[in-house]
């Protein structure tokens, strides 16, 4: 499962690299992908889905995405299920690049994500969507508020 959220930028789950064949992959998982990822540019950043995220990991993720965007690489941001860590990192990076309101970006991504949901019991109105994990999202927001860019 993967979907486009910004020019040359896609979000997805652990299966997405084999489906999309991206030029670059940012994997924001603690676990290693269940199969080898073949992409010219690959970065795995260990980001927990809850407490414990480090500003350094957000910074590394954003720098990688800057490089990919500056070089027009088709890039996939993936986490295990494509619902939390990847959405949080993507929302923050798009905010930093576009200047669009963070909540608007997040709502647009969640709306797109909901349309790809494989589990009907998880489909809710955007304002009731239980993902991304609030701790991860707040760490990304805090990172941005500290003027890190």
């Amino acid at each position: 499962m993967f979907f486009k959220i910004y020019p040359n930028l896609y979000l997805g789950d652990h299966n997405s690299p084999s489906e999309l064949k991206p030029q670059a992959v940012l994997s924001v998982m603690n676990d290693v992908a269940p199969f080898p990822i073949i992409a010219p540019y690959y970065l795995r950043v260990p980001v927990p889905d809850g407490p414990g995220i480090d500003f350094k990991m957000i910074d590394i993720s954003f720098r990688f995405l800057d490089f990919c965007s500056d070089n027009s690489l088709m890039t996939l941001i993936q986490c295990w299920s494509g619902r939390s860590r990847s959405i949080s990192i993507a929302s923050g990076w798009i905010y930093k690049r576009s200047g669009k309101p963070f909540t608007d970006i997040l709502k647009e991504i969640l709306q797109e994500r909901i349309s790809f949901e494989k589990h009907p019991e998880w489909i809710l109105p955007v304002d009731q969507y239980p993902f991304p994990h609030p701790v991860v999202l707040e760490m990304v927001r805090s990172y941005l508020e500290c003027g890190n860019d």
Side-chain angles (χ1 to χ4, degrees), residues 14-148:
H14 65 282
N15 289 314
S16 299
S18 63
E19 299 167 355
L20 181 63
K21 309 280 189 262
Q23 295 168 302
V25 175
L26 172 60
S27 183
V28 287
M29 297 193 270
N30 281 333
D31 345 348
V32 176
F35 47 82
I37 294 177
I38 300 169
Y41 299 95
Y42 173 74
L43 177 64
R44 185 180 75 80
V45 181
V47 175
D49 198 11
I53 188 170
D54 184 345
F55 275 4
K56 182 171 58 175
M57 297 300 109
I58 298 169
D59 187 60
I60 290 168
S61 299
F62 283 8
R63 288 176 190 269
F64 181 78
L65 293 172
D66 285 340
F67 168 82
C68 294
S69 179
D70 293 346
N71 289 284
S72 301
L73 300 174
M74 182 175 65
T75 305
L76 170 70
I77 304 174
Q78 69 166 136
C79 60
W80 190 256
S81 61
R83 296 185 319 217
S84 186
R85 293 167 282 191
S86 58
I87 290 174
S88 297
I89 295 292
S91 298
W93 182 80
I94 292 171
Y95 166 79
K96 189 180 99 150
R97 288 292 274 216
S98 71
K100 256 177 111 170
F102 188 80
T103 52
D104 291 354
I105 294 165
L106 184 59
K107 278 189 175 185
E108 288 172 15
I109 291 173
L110 288 176
Q111 191 62 55
E112 192 66 27
R113 173 65 177 86
I114 289 169
S115 69
F116 283 86
E117 189 56 68
K118 295 176 184 173
H119 302 280
E121 67 274 17
W122 291 347
I123 297 177
L124 301 166
V126 171
D127 60 338
Q128 295 175 21
Y129 200 59
F131 310 108
H133 192 290
V135 172
V136 177
L137 191 59
E138 284 310 310
M139 286 303 294
V140 170
R141 282 185 177 169
S142 295
Y143 172 87
L144 293 165
E145 288 171 3
C146 290
N148 293 297

